[in-house]
Amino acid sequence: MLSKEDTRRLAQLERQLRRDDPDFCARMGGGNFSVSSTSRPPLPLFILAAVITVAAVVLGVVGWWIAASIVSTWAVITFATAVYRWRRQRAETAYRHS
């Protein structure tokens, strides 16, 4: 297992190699390491969060408060995950263009 310093240095070398020669990285890794500049936000996660929120509201209206609170917590976690992925994706795109 690598130490924290070794892991940090390896990640730095990988970023530099991806920036300098993305075609080589794609050939050696068997895929494309970079996110395309036209990448979309994680729309399915946002839709899932909306559906879960509606379910939480319905459970709340019916009067099942414990189930509604559990489902609403699930909705918040799903929404937060979608926002996190979207922001990380935008940051990676901005990093590549700088």
Side-chain angles (χ1 to χ4, degrees), residues 12-94:
Q12 182 181 11
L13 289 170
E14 287 176 357
R15 283 192 303 271
Q16 183 178 357
L17 183 59
R18 286 181 192 153
R19 186 176 43 236
D20 293 345
D21 197 355
D23 293 331
F24 173 76
C25 291
R27 284 192 310 270
M28 299 317 288
N32 190 359
F33 284 99
S34 64
V35 179
S36 69
S37 61
T38 60
S39 61
R40 299 181 309 186
L43 191 57
L45 278 178
F46 284 114
I47 293 171
L48 180 62
V51 169
I52 295 170
T53 302
V54 169
V57 169
V58 168
L59 288 172
V61 169
V62 171
W64 295 348
W65 298 108
I66 296 174
S69 64
I70 293 170
V71 173
S72 63
T73 303
W74 186 22
V76 168
I77 292 170
T78 305
F79 183 74
T81 302
V83 169
Y84 172 76
R85 283 186 173 183
W86 189 25
R87 291 186 70 186
R88 186 180 64 181
Q89 187 176 37
R90 287 179 49 196
E92 288 175 358
T93 302

